[in-house]
């Protein structure tokens, strides 16, 4: 930990803690681009930052029994605050009118229901009666679920990141009644510490500044907002064409190579996030550079990272699925929350790793992720829930602790697995074998530096320490015997864990993340040839169409919620979809068409793309805005996201979608939009391509052109299925897969008339590979098709 720094601002001496290991430990709200950063406040009001590493004790009052107005909301996050002694408002006109009428600043608090630090700030500050009075009397306090309103979150996070040293959640921003931000930060402890200012002091200082120096505040706020508008503008300008894919690819690869962790994989020291967009880029880079040293290096970096993650504690070895991120370089101790978007993207990454390597290790991990999602994050009607919390009570009635549901003591494991293992070179029980293989120790395997609150003392996180071969050799056992014993042991732990209090489930369903999950089930089901998995994707798509799509307007809804008795509920008025909802759902539908060959999904994808173009396309500057103009009325910024982070940016996904839709339909307007989009982001890709690896991948696909792989045959015939499975088994990112069933009136034949000219050879299912309006010779044997596709 670095020492405190001091500086003078407006005549006040302030100190600020620099971020360190303890400060970054389990920062639930940090994003992959906002890693090890301290809590900060905008410099417009002089105050010091609140440190995350330690927390001041304060006297908490029990939550009030009378609910505030958040009790009428559907968001699980807002409902968590419904009994705070704070006069909370949801984001909306009622709050804005009150602020204008009473000339009060708005306190905006943004978070999400499975955020560890959001829980902490609520417990420390928002349940505190005195702080509640300050917030209610001197401010108009507004609570926002960032997953419901990503436009609000992104607009003000841009301000926080620009005026402080970082960002994250909970996000705390103070606004003028006209919604202009003037102070921003993240988590604040309730009381002042030696090197930090507490939330109570922050509120009193802002109250004082608002009363005595409001005019300078408003002027500075307007100046900062104007500067942010100029800085965040993304436009084609005079550029007609995107940059060179070869140059941009090479630069992106070099930037990743420089930050790669040779020993443990990943692309940072700590904390480490699973970032599937990076792995996807590396696989694509390998494919186009297979015969070069850099190509082999790209493959090695991606596969090694995936293997180290799967062996680490960031993976739940007992119940499957992946936790949010690792707090250390070794992928050992995670922040324990589980997000749907991580599961969705990682199952695709592990499926691709299996396609490339043929190693069933990766396919087993992918299947495990989907098993977890099907069991824990699935609504009975087919939708997918958003997340599971990292915090839960160790025992019923106790205060929640992070990781309590997932960690183990040596005593517990030995009690659950006391059976002796026969045929070993030394006395050994099943529990001792499992402890050795997964690194459990009597004292616990979490270091104090990663556990500043002492919540994990004496506990162990399961993480694979040895290969099966080494564990078998250590005890003189056969590898298969060890595999069976460990599998049996994990199952017993899983059954025992069912009796623990479960983490909170965020049962909100988001169209965007459901779209990603449809892709996850569809792609993995197709790669592994498992209809059962594809059926989950179909159920997910049906759910989206039934519950999150307005037929009359063609618009998607952003959210719906699990109601009682398996019902589905909506907010009133509905929360309409954002750009990412359309982009991710369109991707999911295209992946589902290729997996199921049901053209109805392709038809719906085309309709949604048309709606996306109408609502979000920037006809002047190119690319898509993240939100509708009307929906974000009053916000200081209307942004185009330019970062592929924990989730890919919606513009990056849209670039791929436009290319694929052009491949499926031949519609030139979509190719034109793709070129304009890539040109609009040219400067960003030139300067820091590593910030947009998914878009760099789309740039390469555009300049290399997509393959149209056409299978002519009866969808139910074995020979047709054999050719389709051949295609699915090979890693070919830049392709569209089309089934031509011989019906000239079919949807695809109407879109692509040339399909009617392709014939089956000797009445057998026949494949054609088409590029640049030229098709290969007809192929009927999967082995021949495989050779051609590997060229």
């Amino acid at each position: 930990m670095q020492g405190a720094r001091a500086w003078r601002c407006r005549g006040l001496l302030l100190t600020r803690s620099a971020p360190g290991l303890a400060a970054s430990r389990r920062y639930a709200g940090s994003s992959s681009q906002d890693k090890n950063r301290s809590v900060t406040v905008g410099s417009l009001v002089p105050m010091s930052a609140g440190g995350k590493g330690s927390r001041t004790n304060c006297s908490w009052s029990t939550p009030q029994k009378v609910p505030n107005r958040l009790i009428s909301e559907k968001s699980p996050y807002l409902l968590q605050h419904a009994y705070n002694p704070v006069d909370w408002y949801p984001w909306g006109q009622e709050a804005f009118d009150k602020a204008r009428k009473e000339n009060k600043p708005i306190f905006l608090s943004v978070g999400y229901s499975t955020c560890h630090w959001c829980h902490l700030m609520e417990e420390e500050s928002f349940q505190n009666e005195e702080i509640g009075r300050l917030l209610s009397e001197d401010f108009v306090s507004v609570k926002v679920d960032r997953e419901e309103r990503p436009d609000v979150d992104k607009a003000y996070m841009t301000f926080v990141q620009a005026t402080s040293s970082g960002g994250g959640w909970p996000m705390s921003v103070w606004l003028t009644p006209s919604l202009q931000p003037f102070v921003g930060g993240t988590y604040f402890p309730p009381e002042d510490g030696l090197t930090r200012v507490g939330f109570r002091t922050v509120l009193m200082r802002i109250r004082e500044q608002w009363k005595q120096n409001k005019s300078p505040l408003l002027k500075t706020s307007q100046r900062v907002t104007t500067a942010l508008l100029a800085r965040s503008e993304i436009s084609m300008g005079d550029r007609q064409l995107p940059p060179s894919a070869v140059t941009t690819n090479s630069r992106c690869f070099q930037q990743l190579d420089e930050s790669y962790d040779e020993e443990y994989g990943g692309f940072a020291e700590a904390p480490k996030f699973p970032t599937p967009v990076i792995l996807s880029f590396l696989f694509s880079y390998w494919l186009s550079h297979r015969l070069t040293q850099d190509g082999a290096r790209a493959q090695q970096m991606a596969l090694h990272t995936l293997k180290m993650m799967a062996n680490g504690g960031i993976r739940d070895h007992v119940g499957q699925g992946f936790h949010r991120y690792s707090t250390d370089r070794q992928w050992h101790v995670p922040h324990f929350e589980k997000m749907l978007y991580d599961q969705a993207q990682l199952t695709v990454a592990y499926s691709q790793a299996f396609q490339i390597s043929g190693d069933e290790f990766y396919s087993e991990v992918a299947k495990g992720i989907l098993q977890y999602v099907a069991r824990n994050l699935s609504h009975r009607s087919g939708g997918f829930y958003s997340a599971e919390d990292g915090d839960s009570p160790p025992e019923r009635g106790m205060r929640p602790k992070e990781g309590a549901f997932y960690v183990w003591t040596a005593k517990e494991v030995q009690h659950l697995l006391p059976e002796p293992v026969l045929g070993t070179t030394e006395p050994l029980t099943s529990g001792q074998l499992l402890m050795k293989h997964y690194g459990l120790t009597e004292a616990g395997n979490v270091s104090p530096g990663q556990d500043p609150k002492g919540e994990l003392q004496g506990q162990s996180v399961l993480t694979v320490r040895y290969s099966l071969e080494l564990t078998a050799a250590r005890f003189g056992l056969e590898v298969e015997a060890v595999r069976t014993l460990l599998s049996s042991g994990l199952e017993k732990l899983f059954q025992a864990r069912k009796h623990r209090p479960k983490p909170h489930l965020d049962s909100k369903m988001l169209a965007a993340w459901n779209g990603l999950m449809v892709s996850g089930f569809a792609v993995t089901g197709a790669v592994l040839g498992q209809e059962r998995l594809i059926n989950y994707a179909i159920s997910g798509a049906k759910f989206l169409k039934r519950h999150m799509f307005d037929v009359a307007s063609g618009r998607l809804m952003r959210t719906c919620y699990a109601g009682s008795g398996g019902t589905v509920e909506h907010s009133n008025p509905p929360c309409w979809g954002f750009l990412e909802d359309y982009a991710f759902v369109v991707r999911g539908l295209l992946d589902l068409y290729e997996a199921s060959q049901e053209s109805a999904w392709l038809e719906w994808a085309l309709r949604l793309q048309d709606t996306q173009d109408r609502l979000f396309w920037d006809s002047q500057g190119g690319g898509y805005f993240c939100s509708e103009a009307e929906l974000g009325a009053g916000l200081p910024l209307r942004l185009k996201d330019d970062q592929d982070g924990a989730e890919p940016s919606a513009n990056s996904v849209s670039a791929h979608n436009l290319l694929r839709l052009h491949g499926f339909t031949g519609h030139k307007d979509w190719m034109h939009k793709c070129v304009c989009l890539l040109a609009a982001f040219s400067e960003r890709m030139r300067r820091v391509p590593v910030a947009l690896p998914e878009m760099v991948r789309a740039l390469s696909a555009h300049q290399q052109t997509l393959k149209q792989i056409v299978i002519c045959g009866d969808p139910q015939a074995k020979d047709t299925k054999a050719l389709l499975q051949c295609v699915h088994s090979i890693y070919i990112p830049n392709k569209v897969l089309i089934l031509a069933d011989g019906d000239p009136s079919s949807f695809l034949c109407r879109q692509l008339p040339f399909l009617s000219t392709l014939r089956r050879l000797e009445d057998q299912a026949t494949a054609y590979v088409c590029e640049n309006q030229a098709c290969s010779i007809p192929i009927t044997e999967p082995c021949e098709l495989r050779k051609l596709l590997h060229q």
Side-chain angles (χ1 to χ4, degrees):
M1 175 86 75
Q2 300 176 27
R5 299 194 295 271
W7 70 91
R8 291 189 179 273
C9 179
R10 296 184 185 172
L12 296 176
L13 180 64
L14 305 174
T15 59
R16 177 175 165 212
S17 295
L21 177 63
S24 68
R25 165 73 187 117
R26 295 175 296 134
Y27 179 17
S30 64
S31 63
S32 57
Q33 62 264 39
D34 299 308
K35 294 171 183 146
N36 193 11
R37 294 175 175 175
S38 66
V39 179
T40 56
V41 188
S43 59
L44 297 177
V45 175
M47 59 187 72
S48 63
K52 294 191 186 76
S54 58
R55 300 168 191 143
T56 306
N57 289 327
C58 66
S59 60
W60 292 287
S61 60
T62 56
Q64 65 179 38
K65 299 303 181 186
V66 179
N68 56 50
R69 60 178 53 77
L70 296 185
I71 197 68
S72 301
E73 297 299 306
K74 297 291 185 185
S75 159
Y77 175 63
L78 268 57
L79 289 171
Q80 286 173 351
H81 294 76
Y83 286 89
N84 294 163
V86 177
D87 189 18
W88 286 117
Y89 284 78
W91 180 266
Q93 199 60 46
E94 184 184 7
F96 310 152
D97 290 344
K98 179 180 172 68
R100 292 188 185 101
K101 181 181 178 181
E102 300 181 9
N103 193 23
K104 289 180 178 177
I106 293 170
F107 168 62
L108 173 65
S109 177
V110 182
Y112 56 104
S113 81
T114 57
C115 164
H116 175 77
W117 289 91
C118 302
H119 298 332
L120 188 68
M121 192 164 177
E122 190 230 355
E123 183 180 80
E124 292 176 335
S125 293
F126 300 146
Q127 290 182 19
N128 182 289
E129 295 282 354
E130 184 184 348
I131 289 176
R133 277 194 299 273
L134 277 170
L135 286 170
S136 302
E137 293 173 5
D138 298 305
F139 303 87
V140 176
S141 297
V142 176
K143 179 62 74 173
V144 167
D145 184 336
R146 68 174 295 262
E147 294 168 357
E148 281 190 334
R149 291 301 300 260
D151 57 333
V152 175
D153 179 59
K154 287 172 183 172
Y156 294 111
M157 186 63 75
T158 300
F159 168 80
V160 170
Q161 289 174 328
T163 56
S164 69
S165 70
W169 301 277
M171 177 170 65
S172 305
V173 190
W174 286 263
L175 318 175
T176 68
S178 59
L179 306 184
Q180 302 294 313
F182 61 92
V183 175
T186 52
Y187 161 83
F188 291 94
E191 305 293 347
D192 296 350
L194 183 64
T195 58
R196 65 188 188 273
V197 164
F199 188 56
R200 186 196 315 270
T201 302
V202 171
L203 292 173
M204 291 190 292
R205 289 192 187 180
I206 291 176
R207 178 182 65 180
E208 180 183 353
Q209 292 283 330
W210 184 259
K211 290 177 179 177
Q212 297 180 3
N213 298 300
K214 182 164 62 176
S215 182
L217 278 181
L218 297 178
K219 288 180 181 177
T220 306
S221 172
Q222 185 58 52
R223 189 167 64 247
V224 171
T225 302
T226 302
L228 287 176
L229 273 169
R231 200 175 82 175
S232 62
E233 184 179 0
I234 294 171
S235 175
M236 289 186 293
D238 297 329
R239 290 182 291 271
Q240 299 297 313
L241 294 172
S244 159
V246 172
T247 303
T248 310
N249 258 280
S250 178
R251 184 165 171 74
C252 188
F253 169 75
Q254 292 302 327
Q255 289 176 341
L256 290 171
D257 192 25
E258 289 165 8
S259 64
Y260 178 65
D261 183 338
E262 296 283 355
E263 188 171 1
Y264 296 104
F267 301 89
E269 285 296 313
K272 275 186 175 174
F273 291 75
T275 313
V277 288
I278 289 176
L279 304 172
S280 184
F281 166 80
L282 290 171
F283 284 148
S284 289
Y285 188 86
W286 159 76
L287 189 65
S288 56
H289 297 77
R290 276 177 294 180
L291 302 180
T292 70
Q293 188 173 349
D294 281 353
R297 170 75 169 164
Q299 184 200 57
Q300 179 267 330
M301 287 195 293
L303 292 177
H304 181 58
T305 297
L306 285 167
K307 184 153 280 189
M308 296 304 291
M309 282 169 47
N311 284 333
I314 191 174
R315 180 184 175 201
D316 178 4
H317 294 276
V318 174
Q320 298 304 313
F322 279 78
H323 300 296
R324 181 66 198 90
Y325 64 80
S326 171
T327 64
D328 55 78
R329 182 185 163 209
Q330 294 85 2
W331 305 104
H332 175 200
V333 182
H335 169 65
F336 290 90
E337 71 184 88
K338 290 179 177 179
M339 308 302 295
L340 182 68
Y341 60 77
D342 283 325
Q343 317 309 321
Q345 294 177 88
L346 284 170
T347 190
V348 173
Y350 279 98
S351 297
Q352 291 172 339
F354 172 64
Q355 285 177 313
I356 289 166
S357 69
D359 187 343
E360 291 186 1
F361 172 87
Y362 299 106
S363 62
E364 289 301 313
V365 176
K367 286 189 285 187
I369 295 170
L370 295 182
Q371 179 186 39
Y372 161 71
V373 172
R375 183 183 64 240
N376 287 52
L377 297 181
S378 292
H379 189 275
R380 65 172 67 174
S381 297
F384 303 105
Y385 302 133
S386 294
E388 281 192 310
D389 209 328
D391 295 14
S392 60
E395 295 179 22
R396 299 191 191 285
M398 294 179 67
R399 175 177 172 170
K401 292 184 178 181
E402 193 181 8
F405 187 71
Y406 298 102
V407 293
W408 301 87
T409 64
K411 185 178 179 180
E412 284 177 302
V413 173
Q414 289 170 337
H415 174 73
L416 288 167
L417 303 172
E419 309 87 0
V421 179
L422 302 178
T424 58
T425 54
E426 60 186 80
L428 182 74
T429 66
S430 295
Q432 290 168 332
L433 176 71
L434 188 139
M435 286 175 59
K436 183 72 173 179
H437 188 76
Y438 288 103
L440 280 71
T441 65
E442 295 288 342
N445 65 10
V446 179
S447 69
Q450 292 172 290
D451 184 29
K453 278 177 45 181
E455 290 181 314
L456 302 175
Q457 189 173 3
Q459 308 279 346
S460 287
V461 178
L462 270 66
T463 178
V464 176
R465 291 296 173 88
Y466 306 99
S467 67
L468 288 171
E469 289 76 12
L470 280 175
T471 299
R474 167 73 175 78
F475 296 108
L477 295 167
E478 296 294 326
V479 171
E480 284 308 311
V482 170
R483 190 193 311 275
T484 300
L485 286 165
L486 292 176
S487 178
S488 173
L490 292 175
E491 176 60 25
K492 288 181 180 177
L493 296 190
F494 177 72
Q495 294 302 326
R497 202 170 76 175
K498 285 182 178 180
H499 299 287
R500 295 178 176 180
K502 290 181 172 56
H504 157 71
L505 172 70
D506 187 330
S507 59
K508 174 176 72 272
M509 289 169 275
L510 300 173
W513 297 359
N514 271 254
L516 290 175
M517 203 64 243
V518 167
S519 284
F521 274 105
V523 170
T524 305
V527 168
L528 302 183
Q530 293 196 4
E531 288 291 328
R532 179 178 59 85
L533 300 180
I534 296 172
N535 287 336
Y536 272 103
I538 291 171
S539 295
K542 287 180 178 177
F543 180 91
L544 281 163
K545 195 161 191 179
R546 185 184 308 117
H547 295 290
M548 306 187 78
F549 177 62
D550 181 64
V551 177
S553 66
R555 294 166 80 192
L556 285 170
M557 297 175 196
R558 168 72 174 173
T559 59
C560 65
Y561 309 86
S564 59
T567 59
V568 176
E569 298 179 351
H570 296 85
S571 55
N572 186 22
C575 183
W576 294 108
F578 296 91
L579 174 63
E580 64 184 42
D581 296 298
Y582 288 85
F584 295 177
V585 171
V586 169
R587 171 187 271 188
L589 294 173
L590 297 180
D591 289 338
L592 181 53
Y593 165 72
E594 293 196 354
S596 69
Q597 298 303 319
E598 294 179 14
S599 62
W601 303 123
L602 185 57
E603 294 183 55
W604 190 30
L606 267 63
R607 183 176 178 187
L608 289 178
Q609 186 66 49
D610 283 334
T611 305
Q612 175 183 320
D613 294 347
R614 173 169 55 85
L615 296 176
F616 306 101
W617 180 253
D618 180 2
S619 57
Q620 300 298 315
Y624 294 96
F625 291 109
C626 292
S627 58
E628 296 181 44
E630 292 78 10
L631 188 62
L635 287 175
L637 302 170
R638 189 183 183 206
L639 300 170
K640 298 174 187 173
D641 193 7
D642 63 352
Q643 181 93 15
D644 292 325
E647 303 165 63
S649 83
N651 269 288
S652 296
V653 173
S654 293
H656 285 278
N657 290 346
L658 291 166
L659 283 174
R660 294 173 75 183
L661 287 167
H662 175 262
F664 280 121
T665 67
H667 294 183
K668 292 182 180 179
D669 178 59
W670 281 329
M671 180 59 77
H672 174 69
K673 278 190 168 65
C674 181
V675 172
C676 291
L677 187 159
L678 294 171
F681 286 85
S682 287
E683 189 59 29
R684 179 72 160 163
M685 285 194 283
R686 281 196 186 98
R687 286 189 297 109
V688 272
V690 72
L692 283 169
E694 186 73 2
M695 191 172 289
V696 173
R697 210 166 66 79
L699 177 67
S700 299
H702 162 61
Q703 295 187 6
Q704 293 171 8
T705 73
L706 294 185
K707 287 184 172 74
Q708 291 169 307
I709 304 173
V710 183
I711 310 294
C712 300
D714 176 354
Q716 302 305 318
K718 286 184 179 180
D719 54 355
T720 303
K721 291 181 177 180
L723 290 174
L724 289 170
Q725 190 54 43
C726 172
V727 177
H728 289 310
S729 69
I730 304 171
Y731 177 68
I732 319 168
N734 302 336
K735 62 109 171 58
V736 293
L737 175 59
I738 297 169
L739 176 66
D741 61 5
D743 180 3
S745 65
S746 68
F747 174 74
L748 275 165
C749 278
R750 296 197 309 273
Q751 302 293 321
L752 297 170
F754 84 90
L755 294 178
S756 299
T757 68
L758 302 180
R759 297 282 182 264
R760 301 186 202 184
L761 199 63
E762 298 177 356
D763 205 32
Q764 298 180 71
T766 305
Y768 297 85
V769 179
C770 307
E771 290 182 83
N772 297 315
Q773 300 179 325
C775 292
S776 69
I777 60 171
I779 298 170
T780 58
E781 293 298 326
C783 59
E784 294 300 318
L785 179 59
R786 182 177 297 277
K787 286 180 187 176
L788 179 60
L789 293 174
H790 273 305
Q791 289 179 3

